[in-house]
Amino acid sequence: MATPLRGLLGAKVPPNSKTLEEARSRTFDFFKKACRSLPTVMNIYYLDDIATISQLRSTISAEIRKNADVTNPKVIDMLLFKAMEELTNVVDHAKQRHHIIGQYVVGREGLVKDSGTKDEGASDFLKRFYETNYF
């Protein structure tokens, strides 16, 4: 599928960042590219009914902030390469809708959080069995 973002999201490997400031600048550039591609992603995967661009932008920001403590420019470059590869796969429709919803709309914790009540309706035998066999 031809996309107008193909030139924008070229997957060529840039040279390594020499300083932390250069890596930081590349991170901001990636964030801008990702945010600019969100309307296309919303149209490709029909996400208008379950998410907004603002929610997806917040998800991208949270994913970037998870690695805020990384200070090695080479590691940052590797993370940016992986992120750019992921963005290219999403824009090129290499993923299905449920992948996008599961990873970026619902989040990694899933739809239903474990509340610890899964053994509630079990018999006494099963409760004892589960207690002794959980590692």
Side-chain angles (χ1 to χ4, degrees), residues 23-35:
R24 185 173 184 261
S25 173
R26 288 182 183 193
T27 304
F28 285 128
D29 290 341
F30 167 76
F31 182 71
K32 289 177 192 175
K33 286 180 185 178
C35 288

Side-chain angles (χ1 to χ4, degrees), residues 14-48:
N16 288 336
S17 300
K18 292 182 173 68
T19 64
L20 185 60
E21 189 59 37
E22 185 179 351
R24 185 173 184 261
S25 173
R26 288 182 183 193
T27 304
F28 285 128
D29 290 341
F30 167 76
F31 182 71
K32 289 177 192 175
K33 286 180 185 178
C35 288
R36 287 180 186 139
S37 69
L38 285 178
T40 303
V41 171
M42 295 284 286
N43 288 336
I44 290 173
Y45 295 100
Y46 304 109
L47 298 176
D48 295 321

Side-chain angles (χ1 to χ4, degrees), residues 7 10 12 20 23 41 44 60 76-77 83 98 115 118-119 127:
K12 56 185 176 180
L20 185 60
V41 171
I44 290 173
I60 293 170
I76 294 172
D77 286 341
H98 68 277
S115 60
K118 61 184 170 187
D119 296 336
K127 287 179 184 177

Side-chain angles (χ1 to χ4, degrees), residues 59 63 101-114:
T59 302
E63 290 291 322
I101 293 170
Q103 287 180 338
Y104 303 111
V105 176
V106 175
R108 303 212 186 270
E109 68 271 359
L111 283 173
V112 180
K113 293 186 180 178
D114 185 16

Side-chain angles (χ1 to χ4, degrees), residues 7 14 18 24 31 38-39 48 51 55 61 65 70 73 77-78 80 90 92 99 103 108 122 129-130 132 135:
K18 292 182 173 68
R24 185 173 184 261
F31 182 71
L38 285 178
D48 295 321
Q55 289 171 329
S61 177
R65 286 189 179 125
V70 178
D77 286 341
M78 185 262 317
L80 284 173
V90 168
D92 288 345
H99 296 142
Q103 287 180 338
R108 303 212 186 270
F129 177 77
Y130 290 148
T132 59
F135 297 104

